[in-house]
Amino acid sequence: MARRNVTSEVSGTVWKIEVAPGAAVSAGDTLLIIESMKMEIAVTAPAPGIVSEILVKEEQAVAQGQALAEMDC
Amino acid sequence: MFHKVLVANRAAAASRIIRALRKLGVRSVALYSDADKGAPYLEQADEAFAIGPAPARSSYLDQDAILAVAKRCGADAVHPGYGFLSENPVFARRLSEAGIGFIGPAADWIAAMGHKTRAREMMAREGLPVGRGSGLLSADRDAMIAAARRIGFPVLIKPAAGGGGIGMLPALDEDQLVKAAERARGLAKRGFGNDEIYLERLLERPRHIEFQVIADRHGNARHLFERDCSVQRRHQKVIEEASAPGLARPALDALADQIAATLARLGYDNIGTVEMLRGADGTFQFIEMNTRLQVEHAVTEAITGIDIVFAQIRAAAGERLDAILPQTVERNGHAIEARIYAEDPERFLPSPGPLTVFRPPSGAGIRVETGYAEGGEVTPYYDPMIAKVIAWAETRNAAIDRLRESLQNFAIVGVKSNIPAIMKMLDAPAFKEGDVHTGLLPEVMARGVAAAIAV
């Protein structure tokens, strides 16, 4: 198991957090949704694993490349 | 004519409308959110008012705030532009109750066309071609599947109160349908405050052809021909042209005449656009009518010589169509517009940021519409369009060449732009031959569009 950061591909705001810490997810599952420029961009699990931490809150502004969640996978 | 018009919009739309007001000798009032403070379109207006914080719901969508400014500045009409409150019947009604004109059709028309299944039913009754669709979709799984089977998979799920490519999701089979319907309801509720959805048959490789209509307050309506807006990503237009390439004129002209006659009979009363899909078999089907100015109006202006915004304002002020338009309007040459988006050109993901360099092209046959300037900032709060470049020439090939050359000279640093994707499309053999369809842009891109959804 390795700890892994999941980052945002774009700058925008956090629209929705779809999982809670401790959730077991498969690769491709949506962790949270970023809104930017009238677009919803799903942030998905890069690999199967456990969500260890969500680092942002809904409606929070985030920068491109910013870590949004941590996973153990 | 109006004395003072409040422009309830921002950036390129606001800039374009302010220009038309100036040409008419009407005073203009611009609005800006905190994110647009100091934007260049504000300098063009006679007055400018702060409207609220950056998020659109707290500024450009805040009806109370906009009404308050309209009253305070003494505007006798509001131009809503496109997007934001342009197709909101409640806003149009509130203005009229306050004795302020709305530069658009009557609120009842906005409501009638804003509900897409009712609009489809109305147009079908009037004899326009309408494709297979479901009516409002039941939330019951079996009923939903039965509705899709009657149409036949693949289907496209659309919000009934929708528009702008928002909340539209394809479903290839029953499992996808059930999942996507739930997602679409969420998107529809969020985007339009209404979770009603419906199904349309998902056509393979359709062309998007739309007809520009202009009507007055006296029961007259005419058309200004068609536009082809088939080059899209995520159901949102990227390249638009007039005329539609490679199609036989008689069928297009007959449909345009039928649409104008229908809207005249029904009493439509300002500019509008009837959007159709043309299937590979050559048949047209109505998809929706937009009761407002379109982003892509400039290509029609370029081939007809008609200033559509100027005409729209005059019609809204009560002038008669025969005073606004010449007796005959002809098509002259060919025009192509490229929408320049601040986005990654490969996966079409948003790319907000500072415009450290922003030098739009200029030259014979080139028109640029933008609300931005070098040194400005493209924020994540609004849509990604930072400019429109419109090229006109005698022939389609010459217009393509002119557009390509001008885009090569469009210097943008600080944000990514979709110019490389547009260049690739302009060079694609299918595009050059006029063999366009709504799936062509993703096809010519190497990596495929990122799974983002317009909201």
Side-chain angles (χ1 to χ4, degrees), chain A residues 9 11 15 35 37-38 40, chain B residues 183 190 347 380 382 453:
Chain A
E9 276 193 271
S11 61
W15 162 244
E35 179 180 359
M37 304 187 118
K38 297 196 73 192
E40 282 186 6
Chain B
R183 177 109 179 88
R190 181 182 173 202
R347 303 181 66 224
Y382 314 112
I453 295 174

Side-chain angles (χ1 to χ4, degrees), chain B residues 280-296:
Chain B
D281 61 356
T283 58
F284 287 88
Q285 51 178 270
F286 172 84
I287 45 175
E288 63 181 46
M289 176 168 181
N290 294 326
T291 54
R292 56 165 167 84
L293 181 67
Q294 302 274 107
V295 174
E296 60 273 23

Side-chain angles (χ1 to χ4, degrees), chain B residues 128-187:
Chain B
L128 286 179
V130 176
R132 276 182 281 170
S134 69
L136 290 182
L137 200 60
S138 161
D140 175 73
R141 184 193 156 95
D142 292 340
M144 201 188 300
I145 289 170
R149 280 195 187 142
R150 274 194 297 276
I151 297 166
F153 283 100
V155 293
L156 186 62
I157 307 168
K158 298 175 80 171
I166 292 165
M168 290 165 57
L169 300 174
L172 306 183
D173 57 38
E174 294 176 7
D175 281 349
Q176 280 188 9
L177 174 70
V178 174
K179 279 191 199 122
E182 196 191 327
R183 177 109 179 88
R185 279 189 201 281
L187 291 165

Side-chain angles (χ1 to χ4, degrees), chain B residues 44-160:
Chain B
Q44 293 175 256
D46 294 308
E47 298 168 45
F49 288 84
I51 194 71
R57 65 175 180 279
S58 312
S59 50
Y60 302 107
L61 291 173
D62 185 336
Q63 298 187 26
D64 292 336
I66 293 168
L67 267 162
V69 172
K71 287 175 189 166
R72 195 161 102 222
C73 72
D76 50 3
V78 167
H79 196 307
Y82 39 75
F84 297 118
L85 294 169
S86 60
E87 291 178 291
N88 186 314
V90 175
F91 182 59
R93 276 191 200 111
R94 288 183 70 185
L95 286 171
S96 121
E97 280 158 19
I100 298 168
F102 178 76
I103 300 177
D108 286 350
W109 265 109
I110 304 175
M113 292 297 111
H115 195 281
K116 305 304 174 190
T117 56
R118 289 208 287 271
R120 285 167 57 89
E121 285 157 16
M122 183 198 274
M123 292 307 174
R125 273 198 306 277
E126 294 298 325
L128 286 179
V130 176
R132 276 182 281 170
S134 69
L136 290 182
L137 200 60
S138 161
D140 175 73
R141 184 193 156 95
D142 292 340
M144 201 188 300
I145 289 170
R149 280 195 187 142
R150 274 194 297 276
I151 297 166
F153 283 100
V155 293
L156 186 62
I157 307 168
K158 298 175 80 171

